[in-house]
Amino acid sequence: MTAAADQDRRKREAARRALELVRPGMKLGLGTGTTARHFVDLVGEQVKGGLQVVCVGTSKATEEQAKALGIPLSTLDDLLELDLTVDGADEVDPQLRLIKGGGGALLREKIVAAASKRMAVIVDSTKLVRVLGAFPLPVEVVPFGLKATRGHIERALAGLGLAGPIRLRGGSEPFITDGGHYILDCSLGAIDQPERLGESLSMIPGVVEHGLFVGLARTAIIAGAEGVQVLGDPD
């Protein structure tokens, strides 16, 4: 088995473990990304078998996947609050702080997570880190005033002793989020104070959202070579 195939197998193991958290009648948030796709597939199998749930997708891609599988979809405007959201992460630390947004859906992912009674994160063991920041931190910004916003971000980072290249995702042909925004990927190396950084970024005009998810995840399900590890609330 190749390393990529083994990693994909572990992602599905984490997704299968998360399926144990689902109960009939739940209102579910469906995440975005390679690991979350496995969970959506598994929910689709259960729905075909008679499971009754209603779901909200965190991206257009997830909504399309769910529709193709026959999973009932609704909106947060109709449901207001969800019972459970299951999503992936680009990094997770032992305190269940996350970096998300590698797939470009961080804004909707955070809105859905914040509207959920519980958020469970599913990852393979390569995503578990001691300190966040090896994965570039995505910051979603409006296109207007991009250079000015970028300057504010650079100063906010410098104020916390952080430095590193900031790249516009997509370069000369910028990646466009579902909300019509750009993403700046900030390569910081190590983020010792994610709470302070998140607060600083949130105060900048032009910043729509950032990929630091702090205080949102209650459970992390991590699949590794020795099996599945659960951090936080297991049930």
Side-chain angles (χ1 to χ4, degrees):
M1 181 181 294
T2 66
D6 185 54
Q7 186 179 37
D8 194 62
R9 177 184 60 80
R10 294 180 186 181
K11 291 177 179 180
R12 194 165 185 87
E13 287 176 356
R16 194 174 298 281
R17 174 63 177 81
L19 194 65
E20 298 176 11
L21 303 176
V22 177
R23 301 288 183 269
M26 272 190 165
K27 295 176 287 185
L28 296 177
L30 302 177
T32 296
T34 57
T35 311
R37 281 188 66 86
H38 285 297
F39 180 74
V40 178
D41 282 341
L42 292 171
V43 170
E45 291 177 6
Q46 294 297 308
V47 167
K48 287 181 181 178
L51 176 68
Q52 294 186 346
V53 292
V54 61
C55 301
V56 172
T58 55
S59 66
K60 292 178 181 177
T62 297
E63 289 174 347
E64 291 172 359
Q65 181 190 3
K67 287 178 183 177
L69 293 169
I71 297 172
L73 291 174
S74 187
T75 68
L76 281 181
D77 288 332
D78 289 332
L79 299 181
L80 299 182
E81 185 179 58
L82 305 177
D83 298 298
L84 170 69
T85 286
V86 176
D87 205 346
D90 299 299
E91 287 186 344
V92 54
D93 74 7
Q95 289 76 46
L96 303 189
R97 298 175 296 193
L98 318 172
I99 286 182
K100 288 180 53 57
L106 62 152
L107 175 60
R108 283 179 58 167
E109 287 173 336
K110 191 172 283 190
I111 291 172
V112 170
S116 303
K117 296 177 183 176
R118 179 180 189 177
M119 179 188 188
V121 177
I122 50 175
V123 295
D124 68 89
S125 56
T126 65
K127 306 298 176 64
L128 180 62
V129 299
R130 186 178 62 84
V131 179
L132 299 177
F135 189 92
L137 175 66
V139 181
E140 189 163 344
V141 298
V142 296
F144 177 81
L146 177 62
K147 289 185 178 179
T149 301
R150 180 172 180 154
H152 286 304
I153 293 172
E154 290 172 343
R155 287 187 286 275
L157 295 177
L160 292 174
L162 297 170
I166 299 176
R167 296 184 176 88
L168 175 64
R169 188 175 298 184
S172 59
E173 297 183 2
F175 173 87
I176 307 296
T177 70
D178 284 350
H181 307 126
Y182 292 167
I183 290 181
L184 295 173
D185 289 310
C186 306
S187 299
L188 304 176
I191 302 172
D192 294 320
Q193 303 177 75
E195 291 86 356
R196 285 190 62 192
L197 176 57
E199 291 170 359
S200 296
L201 291 173
S202 294
M203 293 177 64
I204 297 173
V207 170
V208 179
E209 193 50 84
H210 57 77
L212 288 168
F213 282 52
V214 178
L216 289 171
R218 275 181 48 192
T219 305
I221 299 172
I222 304 158
E226 299 180 357
V228 175
Q229 172 188 9
V230 180
L231 299 182
D233 186 353
D235 300 315

